[in-house]
PDB file of all heavy atoms in Angstrom:
ATOM      1  N   ARG C1347    -119.968 -46.225 -71.675  1.00 62.00           N
ATOM      2  CA  ARG C1347    -119.573 -46.500 -70.282  1.00 62.00           C
ATOM      3  C   ARG C1347    -118.173 -47.241 -70.226  1.00 62.00           C
ATOM      4  O   ARG C1347    -117.936 -48.033 -71.171  1.00 62.00           O
ATOM      5  CB  ARG C1347    -120.610 -47.521 -69.611  1.00 62.00           C
ATOM      6  CG  ARG C1347    -121.986 -46.966 -69.386  1.00 62.00           C
ATOM      7  CD  ARG C1347    -122.084 -46.328 -68.043  1.00 62.00           C
ATOM      8  NE  ARG C1347    -123.465 -45.977 -67.890  1.00 62.00           N
ATOM      9  CZ  ARG C1347    -124.081 -44.948 -68.497  1.00 62.00           C
ATOM     10  NH1 ARG C1347    -123.459 -44.297 -69.465  1.00 62.00           N
ATOM     11  NH2 ARG C1347    -125.361 -44.664 -68.283  1.00 62.00           N
ATOM     12  N   ASP C1490    -113.367 -35.130 -62.760  1.00 96.00           N
ATOM     13  CA  ASP C1490    -113.737 -36.398 -63.113  1.00 96.00           C
ATOM     14  C   ASP C1490    -112.598 -36.954 -64.066  1.00 96.00           C
ATOM     15  O   ASP C1490    -111.882 -36.308 -64.533  1.00 96.00           O
ATOM     16  CB  ASP C1490    -115.013 -36.419 -63.909  1.00 96.00           C
ATOM     17  CG  ASP C1490    -115.810 -37.771 -63.793  1.00 96.00           C
ATOM     18  OD1 ASP C1490    -115.094 -38.789 -63.466  1.00 96.00           O
ATOM     19  OD2 ASP C1490    -117.014 -37.848 -63.948  1.00 96.00           O
ATOM     20  N   TYR C1492    -110.913 -38.969 -67.269  1.00 94.00           N
ATOM     21  CA  TYR C1492    -111.125 -38.781 -68.647  1.00 94.00           C
ATOM     22  C   TYR C1492    -110.691 -40.048 -69.354  1.00 94.00           C
ATOM     23  O   TYR C1492    -109.842 -40.800 -68.695  1.00 94.00           O
ATOM     24  CB  TYR C1492    -110.482 -37.585 -69.051  1.00 94.00           C
ATOM     25  CG  TYR C1492    -110.818 -37.231 -70.547  1.00 94.00           C
ATOM     26  CD1 TYR C1492    -112.018 -36.690 -70.850  1.00 94.00           C
ATOM     27  CD2 TYR C1492    -109.806 -37.228 -71.581  1.00 94.00           C
ATOM     28  CE1 TYR C1492    -112.354 -36.316 -72.205  1.00 94.00           C
ATOM     29  CE2 TYR C1492    -110.093 -36.888 -72.828  1.00 94.00           C
ATOM     30  CZ  TYR C1492    -111.239 -36.380 -73.137  1.00 94.00           C
ATOM     31  OH  TYR C1492    -111.644 -35.973 -74.352  1.00 94.00           O
ATOM     32  N   TYR C1528    -101.244 -13.871 -76.193  1.00 98.00           N
ATOM     33  CA  TYR C1528    -101.418 -15.306 -76.421  1.00 98.00           C
ATOM     34  C   TYR C1528    -100.616 -15.755 -77.581  1.00 98.00           C
ATOM     35  O   TYR C1528    -100.608 -15.226 -78.776  1.00 98.00           O
ATOM     36  CB  TYR C1528    -102.828 -15.669 -76.698  1.00 98.00           C
ATOM     37  CG  TYR C1528    -103.071 -17.183 -76.823  1.00 98.00           C
ATOM     38  CD1 TYR C1528    -103.178 -17.912 -75.652  1.00 98.00           C
ATOM     39  CD2 TYR C1528    -103.069 -17.757 -77.985  1.00 98.00           C
ATOM     40  CE1 TYR C1528    -103.334 -19.318 -75.695  1.00 98.00           C
ATOM     41  CE2 TYR C1528    -103.287 -19.167 -78.098  1.00 98.00           C
ATOM     42  CZ  TYR C1528    -103.297 -19.906 -76.910  1.00 98.00           C
ATOM     43  OH  TYR C1528    -103.484 -21.319 -76.981  1.00 98.00           O
ATOM     44  N   PHE C1532     -98.600 -24.364 -80.793  1.00 97.00           N
ATOM     45  CA  PHE C1532     -97.590 -25.294 -81.604  1.00 97.00           C
ATOM     46  C   PHE C1532     -96.324 -24.579 -81.727  1.00 97.00           C
ATOM     47  O   PHE C1532     -96.113 -23.298 -81.810  1.00 97.00           O
ATOM     48  CB  PHE C1532     -98.123 -25.411 -82.994  1.00 97.00           C
ATOM     49  CG  PHE C1532     -99.400 -26.178 -83.006  1.00 97.00           C
ATOM     50  CD1 PHE C1532    -100.610 -25.538 -83.573  1.00 97.00           C
ATOM     51  CD2 PHE C1532     -99.503 -27.465 -82.537  1.00 97.00           C
ATOM     52  CE1 PHE C1532    -101.824 -26.348 -83.533  1.00 97.00           C
ATOM     53  CE2 PHE C1532    -100.746 -28.223 -82.570  1.00 97.00           C
ATOM     54  CZ  PHE C1532    -101.934 -27.606 -83.022  1.00 97.00           C
ATOM     55  N   VAL C1552     -92.469 -34.334 -74.819  1.00 95.00           N
ATOM     56  CA  VAL C1552     -93.050 -33.527 -75.869  1.00 95.00           C
ATOM     57  C   VAL C1552     -94.129 -34.274 -76.738  1.00 95.00           C
ATOM     58  O   VAL C1552     -93.729 -35.389 -77.131  1.00 95.00           O
ATOM     59  CB  VAL C1552     -92.142 -32.829 -76.774  1.00 95.00           C
ATOM     60  CG1 VAL C1552     -92.692 -32.035 -77.967  1.00 95.00           C
ATOM     61  CG2 VAL C1552     -91.228 -31.790 -75.918  1.00 95.00           C
ATOM     62  N   TRP C1554     -96.142 -34.775 -80.138  1.00 96.00           N
ATOM     63  CA  TRP C1554     -95.863 -34.241 -81.557  1.00 96.00           C
ATOM     64  C   TRP C1554     -97.103 -34.501 -82.393  1.00 96.00           C
ATOM     65  O   TRP C1554     -97.729 -35.560 -82.514  1.00 96.00           O
ATOM     66  CB  TRP C1554     -94.696 -35.063 -82.131  1.00 96.00           C
ATOM     67  CG  TRP C1554     -93.403 -34.723 -81.465  1.00 96.00           C
ATOM     68  CD1 TRP C1554     -92.912 -35.449 -80.443  1.00 96.00           C
ATOM     69  CD2 TRP C1554     -92.564 -33.708 -81.804  1.00 96.00           C
ATOM     70  NE1 TRP C1554     -91.619 -34.780 -80.111  1.00 96.00           N
ATOM     71  CE2 TRP C1554     -91.413 -33.678 -80.966  1.00 96.00           C
ATOM     72  CE3 TRP C1554     -92.525 -32.700 -82.810  1.00 96.00           C
ATOM     73  CZ2 TRP C1554     -90.404 -32.797 -80.982  1.00 96.00           C
ATOM     74  CZ3 TRP C1554     -91.507 -31.759 -82.885  1.00 96.00           C
ATOM     75  CH2 TRP C1554     -90.376 -31.823 -81.942  1.00 96.00           C
ATOM     76  N   THR C1556     -98.253 -35.042 -86.095  1.00 95.00           N
ATOM     77  CA  THR C1556     -97.577 -35.390 -87.330  1.00 95.00           C
ATOM     78  C   THR C1556     -98.599 -35.541 -88.524  1.00 95.00           C
ATOM     79  O   THR C1556     -98.211 -35.709 -89.608  1.00 95.00           O
ATOM     80  CB  THR C1556     -97.048 -36.872 -87.172  1.00 95.00           C
ATOM     81  OG1 THR C1556     -98.024 -37.726 -86.965  1.00 95.00           O
ATOM     82  CG2 THR C1556     -95.987 -36.830 -86.033  1.00 95.00           C
ATOM     83  N   ARG C1557     -99.956 -35.420 -88.156  1.00 95.00           N
ATOM     84  CA  ARG C1557    -100.927 -35.615 -89.205  1.00 95.00           C
ATOM     85  C   ARG C1557    -102.005 -34.649 -89.055  1.00 95.00           C
ATOM     86  O   ARG C1557    -102.435 -34.164 -87.929  1.00 95.00           O
ATOM     87  CB  ARG C1557    -101.393 -37.059 -89.131  1.00 95.00           C
ATOM     88  CG  ARG C1557    -102.481 -37.285 -90.235  1.00 95.00           C
ATOM     89  CD  ARG C1557    -102.470 -38.882 -90.551  1.00 95.00           C
ATOM     90  NE  ARG C1557    -102.390 -39.775 -89.319  1.00 95.00           N
ATOM     91  CZ  ARG C1557    -103.452 -40.352 -88.774  1.00 95.00           C
ATOM     92  NH1 ARG C1557    -104.648 -40.070 -89.184  1.00 95.00           N
ATOM     93  NH2 ARG C1557    -103.320 -41.113 -87.664  1.00 95.00           N
ATOM     94  N   GLY C1559    -105.941 -34.016 -90.744  1.00 92.00           N
ATOM     95  CA  GLY C1559    -106.874 -34.807 -91.541  1.00 92.00           C
ATOM     96  C   GLY C1559    -106.250 -36.109 -92.070  1.00 92.00           C
ATOM     97  O   GLY C1559    -105.818 -36.872 -91.230  1.00 92.00           O
ATOM     98  N   LYS C1583     -87.092 -10.123 -82.220  1.00 94.00           N
ATOM     99  CA  LYS C1583     -87.648  -9.216 -83.331  1.00 94.00           C
ATOM    100  C   LYS C1583     -88.206  -7.915 -82.720  1.00 94.00           C
ATOM    101  O   LYS C1583     -87.953  -6.871 -83.306  1.00 94.00           O
ATOM    102  CB  LYS C1583     -88.669 -10.005 -84.085  1.00 94.00           C
ATOM    103  CG  LYS C1583     -89.394  -9.198 -85.159  1.00 94.00           C
ATOM    104  CD  LYS C1583     -90.498 -10.050 -85.788  1.00 94.00           C
ATOM    105  CE  LYS C1583     -91.375  -9.223 -86.623  1.00 94.00           C
ATOM    106  NZ  LYS C1583     -92.550  -9.950 -87.097  1.00 94.00           N
ATOM    107  N   TRP C1584     -88.902  -8.090 -81.649  1.00 96.00           N
ATOM    108  CA  TRP C1584     -89.565  -6.837 -81.066  1.00 96.00           C
ATOM    109  C   TRP C1584     -88.724  -5.906 -80.314  1.00 96.00           C
ATOM    110  O   TRP C1584     -88.882  -4.702 -80.312  1.00 96.00           O
ATOM    111  CB  TRP C1584     -90.746  -7.219 -80.128  1.00 96.00           C
ATOM    112  CG  TRP C1584     -91.830  -8.051 -80.928  1.00 96.00           C
ATOM    113  CD1 TRP C1584     -92.009  -8.069 -82.245  1.00 96.00           C
ATOM    114  CD2 TRP C1584     -92.714  -9.066 -80.245  1.00 96.00           C
ATOM    115  NE1 TRP C1584     -93.110  -8.974 -82.454  1.00 96.00           N
ATOM    116  CE2 TRP C1584     -93.626  -9.456 -81.324  1.00 96.00           C
ATOM    117  CE3 TRP C1584     -92.952  -9.421 -79.022  1.00 96.00           C
ATOM    118  CZ2 TRP C1584     -94.546 -10.544 -81.147  1.00 96.00           C
ATOM    119  CZ3 TRP C1584     -93.995 -10.335 -78.777  1.00 96.00           C
ATOM    120  CH2 TRP C1584     -94.765 -10.866 -79.792  1.00 96.00           C
ATOM    121  N   GLU C1617    -101.954 -32.709 -69.610  1.00 97.00           N
ATOM    122  CA  GLU C1617    -102.305 -31.280 -69.902  1.00 97.00           C
ATOM    123  C   GLU C1617    -102.668 -30.536 -68.717  1.00 97.00           C
ATOM    124  O   GLU C1617    -103.319 -31.089 -67.837  1.00 97.00           O
ATOM    125  CB  GLU C1617    -103.436 -31.273 -70.891  1.00 97.00           C
ATOM    126  CG  GLU C1617    -103.794 -29.811 -71.293  1.00 97.00           C
ATOM    127  CD  GLU C1617    -105.219 -29.706 -71.942  1.00 97.00           C
ATOM    128  OE1 GLU C1617    -106.000 -30.739 -71.929  1.00 97.00           O
ATOM    129  OE2 GLU C1617    -105.547 -28.628 -72.515  1.00 97.00           O
TER     130      GLU C1617
ATOM    131  N   ASP I 604     -98.760 -10.564 -84.626  1.00 96.00           N
ATOM    132  CA  ASP I 604     -97.605 -10.878 -85.442  1.00 96.00           C
ATOM    133  C   ASP I 604     -97.677 -12.200 -86.102  1.00 96.00           C
ATOM    134  O   ASP I 604     -98.482 -13.007 -85.579  1.00 96.00           O
ATOM    135  CB  ASP I 604     -96.366 -10.729 -84.588  1.00 96.00           C
ATOM    136  CG  ASP I 604     -95.095 -10.301 -85.459  1.00 96.00           C
ATOM    137  OD1 ASP I 604     -95.194 -10.434 -86.687  1.00 96.00           O
ATOM    138  OD2 ASP I 604     -94.174  -9.747 -84.878  1.00 96.00           O
ATOM    139  N   TYR I 606     -96.442 -15.888 -87.341  1.00 94.00           N
ATOM    140  CA  TYR I 606     -95.681 -16.945 -86.498  1.00 94.00           C
ATOM    141  C   TYR I 606     -95.044 -17.850 -87.622  1.00 94.00           C
ATOM    142  O   TYR I 606     -95.536 -17.865 -88.727  1.00 94.00           O
ATOM    143  CB  TYR I 606     -96.731 -17.702 -85.674  1.00 94.00           C
ATOM    144  CG  TYR I 606     -96.000 -18.537 -84.667  1.00 94.00           C
ATOM    145  CD1 TYR I 606     -95.309 -18.185 -83.628  1.00 94.00           C
ATOM    146  CD2 TYR I 606     -96.305 -19.974 -84.714  1.00 94.00           C
ATOM    147  CE1 TYR I 606     -94.697 -19.053 -82.634  1.00 94.00           C
ATOM    148  CE2 TYR I 606     -95.825 -20.886 -83.775  1.00 94.00           C
ATOM    149  CZ  TYR I 606     -94.955 -20.285 -82.874  1.00 94.00           C
ATOM    150  OH  TYR I 606     -94.515 -21.271 -81.924  1.00 94.00           O
ATOM    151  N   ASP I 607     -94.047 -18.582 -87.062  1.00 90.00           N
ATOM    152  CA  ASP I 607     -93.293 -19.392 -88.232  1.00 90.00           C
ATOM    153  C   ASP I 607     -94.094 -20.551 -88.492  1.00 90.00           C
ATOM    154  O   ASP I 607     -93.515 -21.430 -89.205  1.00 90.00           O
ATOM    155  CB  ASP I 607     -91.862 -19.567 -87.757  1.00 90.00           C
ATOM    156  CG  ASP I 607     -91.785 -20.779 -86.642  1.00 90.00           C
ATOM    157  OD1 ASP I 607     -92.784 -20.885 -85.892  1.00 90.00           O
ATOM    158  OD2 ASP I 607     -90.798 -21.392 -86.545  1.00 90.00           O
ATOM    159  N   TYR I 642    -113.406 -26.991 -67.410  1.00 98.00           N
ATOM    160  CA  TYR I 642    -112.367 -27.220 -68.465  1.00 98.00           C
ATOM    161  C   TYR I 642    -112.262 -28.609 -68.765  1.00 98.00           C
ATOM    162  O   TYR I 642    -112.011 -29.472 -67.900  1.00 98.00           O
ATOM    163  CB  TYR I 642    -111.078 -26.648 -67.955  1.00 98.00           C
ATOM    164  CG  TYR I 642    -109.968 -26.673 -69.134  1.00 98.00           C
ATOM    165  CD1 TYR I 642    -110.062 -25.709 -70.188  1.00 98.00           C
ATOM    166  CD2 TYR I 642    -109.190 -27.831 -69.226  1.00 98.00           C
ATOM    167  CE1 TYR I 642    -109.223 -25.830 -71.169  1.00 98.00           C
ATOM    168  CE2 TYR I 642    -108.223 -27.892 -70.252  1.00 98.00           C
ATOM    169  CZ  TYR I 642    -108.241 -26.853 -71.278  1.00 98.00           C
ATOM    170  OH  TYR I 642    -107.368 -26.887 -72.327  1.00 98.00           O
ATOM    171  N   PHE I 646    -107.527 -33.078 -75.638  1.00 97.00           N
ATOM    172  CA  PHE I 646    -107.360 -34.324 -76.445  1.00 97.00           C
ATOM    173  C   PHE I 646    -108.564 -35.144 -76.514  1.00 97.00           C
ATOM    174  O   PHE I 646    -109.394 -35.101 -75.508  1.00 97.00           O
ATOM    175  CB  PHE I 646    -106.217 -35.134 -75.836  1.00 97.00           C
ATOM    176  CG  PHE I 646    -104.825 -34.525 -75.934  1.00 97.00           C
ATOM    177  CD1 PHE I 646    -104.155 -34.138 -74.754  1.00 97.00           C
ATOM    178  CD2 PHE I 646    -104.233 -34.161 -77.174  1.00 97.00           C
ATOM    179  CE1 PHE I 646    -102.980 -33.550 -74.906  1.00 97.00           C
ATOM    180  CE2 PHE I 646    -103.101 -33.511 -77.315  1.00 97.00           C
ATOM    181  CZ  PHE I 646    -102.370 -33.250 -76.095  1.00 97.00           C
ATOM    182  N   VAL I 666    -108.791 -32.147 -88.662  1.00 95.00           N
ATOM    183  CA  VAL I 666    -108.454 -32.638 -87.265  1.00 95.00           C
ATOM    184  C   VAL I 666    -106.927 -32.858 -87.295  1.00 95.00           C
ATOM    185  O   VAL I 666    -106.209 -33.435 -88.065  1.00 95.00           O
ATOM    186  CB  VAL I 666    -109.082 -33.838 -86.821  1.00 95.00           C
ATOM    187  CG1 VAL I 666    -108.474 -34.452 -85.549  1.00 95.00           C
ATOM    188  CG2 VAL I 666    -110.689 -33.609 -86.626  1.00 95.00           C
ATOM    189  N   TRP I 668    -103.683 -34.487 -85.445  1.00 96.00           N
ATOM    190  CA  TRP I 668    -103.477 -35.849 -84.716  1.00 96.00           C
ATOM    191  C   TRP I 668    -102.082 -35.794 -83.957  1.00 96.00           C
ATOM    192  O   TRP I 668    -101.084 -35.696 -84.686  1.00 96.00           O
ATOM    193  CB  TRP I 668    -103.623 -36.989 -85.607  1.00 96.00           C
ATOM    194  CG  TRP I 668    -105.026 -37.178 -86.165  1.00 96.00           C
ATOM    195  CD1 TRP I 668    -105.510 -36.683 -87.406  1.00 96.00           C
ATOM    196  CD2 TRP I 668    -106.130 -37.938 -85.547  1.00 96.00           C
ATOM    197  NE1 TRP I 668    -106.825 -37.015 -87.444  1.00 96.00           N
ATOM    198  CE2 TRP I 668    -107.297 -37.789 -86.368  1.00 96.00           C
ATOM    199  CE3 TRP I 668    -106.220 -38.557 -84.395  1.00 96.00           C
ATOM    200  CZ2 TRP I 668    -108.474 -38.376 -86.112  1.00 96.00           C
ATOM    201  CZ3 TRP I 668    -107.386 -39.198 -84.015  1.00 96.00           C
ATOM    202  CH2 TRP I 668    -108.443 -39.017 -84.945  1.00 96.00           C
ATOM    203  N   THR I 670     -99.495 -38.269 -82.670  1.00 95.00           N
ATOM    204  CA  THR I 670     -99.127 -39.730 -82.853  1.00 95.00           C
ATOM    205  C   THR I 670     -97.885 -40.092 -82.035  1.00 95.00           C
ATOM    206  O   THR I 670     -97.626 -41.252 -81.943  1.00 95.00           O
ATOM    207  CB  THR I 670     -98.769 -40.099 -84.343  1.00 95.00           C
ATOM    208  OG1 THR I 670     -97.774 -39.308 -84.716  1.00 95.00           O
ATOM    209  CG2 THR I 670    -100.108 -39.636 -85.170  1.00 95.00           C
ATOM    210  N   ARG I 671     -97.204 -39.100 -81.505  1.00 95.00           N
ATOM    211  CA  ARG I 671     -95.828 -39.460 -80.920  1.00 95.00           C
ATOM    212  C   ARG I 671     -95.672 -38.593 -79.678  1.00 95.00           C
ATOM    213  O   ARG I 671     -96.094 -37.492 -79.654  1.00 95.00           O
ATOM    214  CB  ARG I 671     -94.689 -39.211 -81.857  1.00 95.00           C
ATOM    215  CG  ARG I 671     -93.379 -39.473 -81.340  1.00 95.00           C
ATOM    216  CD  ARG I 671     -92.354 -39.884 -82.448  1.00 95.00           C
ATOM    217  NE  ARG I 671     -92.440 -39.000 -83.695  1.00 95.00           N
ATOM    218  CZ  ARG I 671     -91.767 -38.001 -83.805  1.00 95.00           C
ATOM    219  NH1 ARG I 671     -90.788 -37.712 -82.946  1.00 95.00           N
ATOM    220  NH2 ARG I 671     -91.794 -37.262 -84.857  1.00 95.00           N
ATOM    221  N   GLY I 673     -92.546 -37.740 -76.924  1.00 92.00           N
ATOM    222  CA  GLY I 673     -91.056 -37.965 -76.846  1.00 92.00           C
ATOM    223  C   GLY I 673     -90.638 -38.799 -77.970  1.00 92.00           C
ATOM    224  O   GLY I 673     -90.785 -38.416 -79.055  1.00 92.00           O
ATOM    225  N   LYS I 697    -122.943 -39.487 -68.188  1.00 94.00           N
ATOM    226  CA  LYS I 697    -122.599 -40.022 -66.844  1.00 94.00           C
ATOM    227  C   LYS I 697    -123.163 -39.265 -65.801  1.00 94.00           C
ATOM    228  O   LYS I 697    -123.663 -39.801 -64.818  1.00 94.00           O
ATOM    229  CB  LYS I 697    -121.035 -40.212 -66.843  1.00 94.00           C
ATOM    230  CG  LYS I 697    -120.510 -40.629 -65.513  1.00 94.00           C
ATOM    231  CD  LYS I 697    -119.015 -40.707 -65.467  1.00 94.00           C
ATOM    232  CE  LYS I 697    -118.516 -40.788 -64.027  1.00 94.00           C
ATOM    233  NZ  LYS I 697    -117.050 -40.561 -63.950  1.00 94.00           N
ATOM    234  N   TRP I 698    -123.102 -37.920 -65.939  1.00 96.00           N
ATOM    235  CA  TRP I 698    -123.442 -37.021 -64.873  1.00 96.00           C
ATOM    236  C   TRP I 698    -124.991 -36.856 -64.777  1.00 96.00           C
ATOM    237  O   TRP I 698    -125.577 -36.598 -63.759  1.00 96.00           O
ATOM    238  CB  TRP I 698    -122.814 -35.671 -65.078  1.00 96.00           C
ATOM    239  CG  TRP I 698    -121.268 -35.700 -65.095  1.00 96.00           C
ATOM    240  CD1 TRP I 698    -120.494 -36.692 -64.419  1.00 96.00           C
ATOM    241  CD2 TRP I 698    -120.374 -34.726 -65.602  1.00 96.00           C
ATOM    242  NE1 TRP I 698    -119.141 -36.322 -64.520  1.00 96.00           N
ATOM    243  CE2 TRP I 698    -119.066 -35.247 -65.298  1.00 96.00           C
ATOM    244  CE3 TRP I 698    -120.594 -33.645 -66.331  1.00 96.00           C
ATOM    245  CZ2 TRP I 698    -117.966 -34.538 -65.682  1.00 96.00           C
ATOM    246  CZ3 TRP I 698    -119.477 -32.892 -66.768  1.00 96.00           C
ATOM    247  CH2 TRP I 698    -118.031 -33.370 -66.370  1.00 96.00           C
ATOM    248  N   ARG I 700    -128.147 -38.161 -64.433  1.00 90.00           N
ATOM    249  CA  ARG I 700    -128.855 -39.485 -64.133  1.00 90.00           C
ATOM    250  C   ARG I 700    -130.289 -39.197 -63.757  1.00 90.00           C
ATOM    251  O   ARG I 700    -131.034 -40.149 -63.604  1.00 90.00           O
ATOM    252  CB  ARG I 700    -128.127 -40.086 -62.890  1.00 90.00           C
ATOM    253  CG  ARG I 700    -126.592 -40.212 -63.017  1.00 90.00           C
ATOM    254  CD  ARG I 700    -126.212 -40.986 -64.239  1.00 90.00           C
ATOM    255  NE  ARG I 700    -126.713 -42.387 -64.129  1.00 90.00           N
ATOM    256  CZ  ARG I 700    -126.565 -43.203 -65.013  1.00 90.00           C
ATOM    257  NH1 ARG I 700    -125.754 -42.901 -66.228  1.00 90.00           N
ATOM    258  NH2 ARG I 700    -126.977 -44.520 -65.058  1.00 90.00           N
ATOM    259  N   GLU I 731    -105.269 -22.416 -85.132  1.00 97.00           N
ATOM    260  CA  GLU I 731    -105.644 -22.450 -83.692  1.00 97.00           C
ATOM    261  C   GLU I 731    -106.387 -21.203 -83.389  1.00 97.00           C
ATOM    262  O   GLU I 731    -105.970 -20.107 -83.837  1.00 97.00           O
ATOM    263  CB  GLU I 731    -104.348 -22.583 -82.780  1.00 97.00           C
ATOM    264  CG  GLU I 731    -104.810 -22.581 -81.287  1.00 97.00           C
ATOM    265  CD  GLU I 731    -103.529 -22.348 -80.299  1.00 97.00           C
ATOM    266  OE1 GLU I 731    -102.516 -22.134 -80.822  1.00 97.00           O
ATOM    267  OE2 GLU I 731    -103.785 -22.487 -79.009  1.00 97.00           O
TER     268      GLU I 731
END
Side-chain angles (χ1 to χ4, degrees):
Chain C
R1347 296 267 187 292
D1490 206 341
Y1492 189 65
Y1528 188 80
F1532 296 118
V1552 171
W1554 292 93
T1556 63
R1557 182 152 44 96
K1583 175 181 164 187
W1584 297 337
E1617 179 194 9
Chain I
D604 206 341
Y606 189 65
D607 77 332
Y642 188 80
F646 295 118
V666 171
W668 293 93
T670 64
R671 181 151 46 96
K697 175 181 164 188
W698 298 337
R700 311 300 301 178
E731 179 193 9

